[in-house]
Amino acid sequence: MTASSVMPALVAVLAACSSPEPSPSAPTGAVPAGSLPSAHVHGVDIDPGDGDVLVATHGGLLEVGDGGQVTPVGPVIDLMGFSVAGPDRYLASGHPGLRVDLPQPVGLIESTDGGRTWTPLSRQGQSDFHGLTASDAGVLGFDGALMRSADGREWEQLDIPVEPHSLAASPDGTHVLATTQQGLLRSVDAGSSWSSVDGAPVLQVVDWADGDSAVGVTLTGVVWSSTDRGESWQEAGRLDAAPEAVAASSEGDRMRLVVVTTDALVESSDGGSTFEVLLER
């Protein structure tokens, strides 16, 4: 696959996400059981405590348990950025619903009870982080500028050569991958400097499974994996639809992979070689 073959569609996706979304007012319980919202999903992650899948939607957070059971969690927040920082500890950004007492935009907010309640940390009324990733080293976000914080409260601005579509930090925070229109970028100093990854596929979304292994998906649904911190990539499998968000975790000797596509929420227990459908749209 060449970069030129995916650029028009990738540009369209980035343009669609560049403007603030209207604040949703429907209750989270309006999501039909056993299904995903039809609107674009900006985030998906896995809680390391119980292994449940968390889907960040324009109408709030959804928890997907065993058997694909969907449970709306917490208030109605248009979640544009979302990252799991630990068991039941989540970080997010976006826009409040009409009956939610949070600033517009919400800046960086934190939940320590599995998404049931949220506390403002910083940049309220300032930042809408569309790209957001948490690690042991802190938080990295993109709100029109690349921002880094060790504690979620004090921030420094960093340089990045191309606007990122998604950001993913390794568990210790030293290595960061950024998907962009011009190809994959890689940082080995926590986002302070960046370089292009020669020969890497043009990934739409990317995530780390552990300190060495990462996985990404192209706009055409091709799944790629890396075992050397993003330096080289190998094709792992294929999806039948374009990806919107991806999450990975290392569980023993296998890699668990969850992808939200334009058609469904799918899961792989073999690093992306095969997938099963958890929820359809």
Side-chain angles (χ1 to χ4, degrees):
M1 180 181 60
T2 64
S4 60
S5 65
V6 302
M7 264 330 110
L10 180 54
V11 170
V13 170
L14 289 171
C17 296
S18 62
S19 301
E21 305 270 343
S23 297
S25 58
T28 52
V31 179
S35 67
L36 283 179
S38 59
H40 183 89
V41 168
H42 284 270
V44 65
D45 215 330
I46 300 168
D47 190 306
D50 56 18
D52 281 351
V53 176
L54 300 157
V55 183
T57 79
H58 290 300
L61 188 63
L62 301 179
E63 184 179 81
V64 183
D66 293 340
Q69 180 180 357
V70 180
T71 304
V73 180
V76 177
I77 303 173
D78 183 359
L79 296 170
M80 304 299 293
F82 179 78
S83 184
V84 170
D88 281 340
R89 180 172 176 252
Y90 313 150
L91 297 173
S93 190
H95 311 281
L98 295 179
R99 293 183 290 275
V100 175
D101 186 19
L102 287 171
Q104 168 70 285
V106 301
L108 183 69
I109 55 177
E110 177 187 43
S111 174
T112 57
D113 58 6
R116 287 157 183 80
T117 61
W118 293 87
T119 301
L121 287 183
S122 60
R123 299 193 66 80
Q124 278 65 57
Q126 295 178 296
S127 289
D128 172 20
F129 292 111
H130 284 208
L132 190 67
T133 182
S135 69
D136 292 342
V139 190
L140 198 66
F142 187 82
D143 63 352
L146 185 64
M147 307 290 290
R148 182 173 64 191
S149 174
D151 59 6
R153 291 177 171 83
E154 299 294 329
W155 296 83
E156 60 178 321
Q157 184 171 331
L158 305 174
D159 292 326
I160 189 168
V162 186
E163 178 177 338
H165 177 61
S166 65
L167 295 166
S170 60
D172 65 2
T174 59
H175 287 64
V176 187
L177 298 173
T179 64
T180 81
Q181 298 180 49
Q182 298 180 16
L184 186 66
L185 296 179
R186 180 172 177 261
S187 173
V188 298
D189 52 14
S192 295
S193 63
W194 298 86
S195 60
S196 299
V197 182
D198 294 337
V202 182
L203 300 173
Q204 174 80 349
V205 290
V206 66
D207 196 23
W208 294 80
D210 54 38
D212 296 314
S213 302
V215 66
V217 189
T218 70
L219 195 62
T220 56
V222 182
V223 181
W224 293 78
S225 65
S226 171
T227 57
D228 56 7
R229 297 188 171 188
E231 286 191 64
S232 62
W233 294 81
Q234 302 79 40
E235 185 174 331
R238 290 177 178 264
L239 294 166
D240 295 327
E244 294 181 351
V246 63
S249 66
S250 181
E251 301 181 358
D253 59 353
R254 67 186 181 97
M255 181 192 294
R256 182 185 180 192
L257 181 62
V258 178
V259 186
V260 177
T261 76
T262 51
D263 291 340
L265 172 67
V266 298
E267 181 177 25
S268 172
S269 59
D270 55 14
S273 296
T274 60
F275 286 88
E276 64 172 316
V277 175
L278 296 181
L279 298 171
E280 294 184 347
R281 280 178 149 165

